[in-house]
Amino acid sequence: MSSFDRVAPPRVRHTVLVVDDSAFMRKLVSEIVASTGEFTVVGTARDGQDALAQVRTLQPDLVTLDVDMPGLDGLAALEFLMRDYPRPVVMLSAGGSDGGHDATLRALERGAVDFVRKPSGAISLDLEIVADQLLQALRAASTVRVTAHPVLASGRMPAPHRSVPALLPLAGPPARVVCMAASTGGPAALAQLLPALPAWPDTAVLIVQHMPPGFTASFALRLDATSALTVHEAADGVPLRAGHAYIAPGGRHLRVQGPREAPRLVLGHDPSQWGVRPAADPLFESVAELFGSHAVGMVLTGMGRDGASGLRAIRTAGGRGIVQDEASSIVPGMPEAARRAAGADAVASLDELPKALAAQLERLPVLSPFAASA
């Protein structure tokens, strides 16, 4: 019996293709995937080109795909997979470097459902450490809805399109705040949504994307390169500024604290909520308390119910609530839980979210950015 055998098999087994350039890693990942009886490994592939051929022939339900491979690497193979044979893909990333983080983020933006960090490089004898993470990622991937993506231009980022760069260094505290929550499918959704938003001179944006430490800084840089908003990884004690967006760092909860005329960001190591840190609920609840009716909460694609009680707090305080619709969500759990718990002023597809957000901001009461809260 394999050292990974520990759970009785369920009734339905999802088929998996394992892709890695290392024969040792293909064998080890295959053992982990098959260990619980939930999944059947129907084949393996040694590189991206081989993966495309195997997917076409074997039609697996799921694919595990190594990021770093010779020839057609994981990122390039993912682009063709999502165009021609769309299905849930879990990336395996060596991590540990900015380059690895960037490649993983590019994969998530291009439709990968999740990623698992290899603990110590491309050929690792201690991959068993992350066996549970891999199995959890595959379980989540087996529940998602995947649609075709067009092939992108080799990961190239469009040029920034900030319309009023001179305004941003002088920006003061915001009159309005938008806060967003996202999990599975969120990197791709945010990579589409943020570049479609203007750098409002009176509005700040706060984002919680469920993501581990080490990745949120790179994610913020990638979003900043394509957005009119100036996007940062949030830092403790930093003043909240209009025209800027802040992403909660992996492993830290993000909140805002007053006074209202000089709000600042506060990071915390307090316990996880809903099994994640950062979680959206602490942020949304702090925004509701400080900004009240001058806030909009938005819950995007993701698994679970993080953001539901926070959106309820914002709407109870007089703010507005938006949820992504089921059809455009990779996983509709979070937005649906938020809609049921809090209601919503708008339910919109990913393509329509920028317009929906602009409409809800227009419905907020007018307040001077420097006026103290009542």
Side-chain angles (χ1 to χ4, degrees):
M1 176 180 287
S2 164
S3 61
F4 300 114
D5 289 337
R6 49 185 178 267
V7 179
R11 295 173 185 166
V12 177
R13 295 189 182 193
H14 297 281
T15 57
V16 181
L17 175 72
V18 173
V19 185
D20 201 290
D21 62 313
S22 161
F24 171 79
M25 191 61 71
R26 291 195 298 273
K27 180 177 184 296
L28 189 53
V29 172
S30 295
E31 280 189 8
I32 294 171
V33 170
S35 65
T36 67
E38 298 167 73
F39 308 100
T40 298
V41 177
V42 291
T44 62
R46 64 184 180 275
D47 57 31
Q49 201 66 50
D50 190 18
L52 295 175
Q54 296 276 26
V55 168
R56 183 172 58 248
T57 301
L58 300 173
Q59 294 293 313
D61 299 322
L62 309 164
V63 177
T64 71
L65 184 58
D66 187 25
V67 172
D68 186 16
M69 297 183 293
L72 190 69
D73 66 12
L75 187 61
L78 175 66
E79 292 186 358
F80 287 107
L81 273 174
M82 298 310 292
R83 184 195 69 176
D84 297 331
Y85 316 109
R87 64 203 60 234
V89 176
V90 174
M91 305 300 293
L92 292 179
S93 167
S97 69
D98 291 342
H101 294 167
D102 186 68
T104 300
L105 289 167
R106 287 163 64 189
L108 293 172
E109 292 167 4
R110 283 151 180 77
V113 171
D114 206 347
F115 68 92
V116 174
R117 297 170 66 175
K118 296 179 182 179
S120 58
I123 300 179
S124 172
L125 297 176
D126 58 344
L127 187 62
E128 185 172 359
I129 295 171
V130 295
D132 287 339
Q133 296 175 11
L134 176 58
L135 290 168
Q136 289 170 14
L138 286 170
R139 290 177 189 125
S142 69
T143 70
V144 309
R145 176 192 304 105
V146 174
T147 56
H149 287 232
V151 172
L152 301 173
S154 303
R156 292 191 181 126
M157 307 285 287
H161 53 275
R162 297 193 175 99
S163 55
V164 238
L167 176 65
L168 297 181
L170 304 175
R176 310 177 300 186
V177 168
V178 175
C179 44
M180 302 178 181
S183 187
T184 307
L190 289 166
Q192 179 175 332
L193 175 59
L194 263 288
L197 303 180
W200 293 287
D202 63 348
T203 303
V205 177
L206 296 159
I207 301 165
V208 169
Q209 164 65 53
H210 297 164
M211 194 173 277
F215 283 83
T216 43
S218 297
F219 189 43
L221 286 172
R222 290 184 62 77
L223 290 175
D224 182 64
T226 61
S227 301
L229 290 157
T230 299
V231 185
H232 319 260
E233 182 184 49
D236 192 50
V238 167
L240 183 63
R241 296 292 185 229
H244 292 245
Y246 305 85
I247 298 179
R252 307 283 297 275
H253 290 309
L254 172 63
R255 295 177 173 88
V256 293
Q257 289 186 358
R260 171 66 181 79
E261 63 272 18
R264 67 187 187 280
L265 306 181
V266 177
L267 301 180
H269 284 292
D270 41 312
S272 300
Q273 293 192 22
W274 311 112
V276 293
R277 190 174 63 196
D281 280 334
L283 171 64
F284 280 38
E285 289 161 4
S286 70
V287 166
E289 182 177 354
L290 189 60
F291 286 89
S293 62
H294 300 90
V296 176
M298 179 183 291
V299 180
L300 305 174
T301 175
M303 185 173 295
R305 57 169 295 110
D306 187 29
S309 65
L311 191 67
R312 183 172 60 236
I314 287 176
R315 299 194 75 226
T316 299
R320 315 292 291 186
I322 303 171
V323 299
Q324 186 175 352
D325 72 353
E326 180 178 356
S328 68
S329 297
I330 296 294
V331 180
M334 278 174 48
E336 180 59 18
R339 187 191 63 78
R340 291 182 178 180
D345 298 289
V347 178
S349 69
L350 182 56
D351 289 340
E352 294 296 319
L353 282 175
K355 185 186 299 183
L357 177 55
Q360 295 307 317
L361 284 170
E362 288 178 2
R363 289 175 170 82
L364 298 182
V366 176
L367 178 72
S368 165
F370 302 99
S373 59

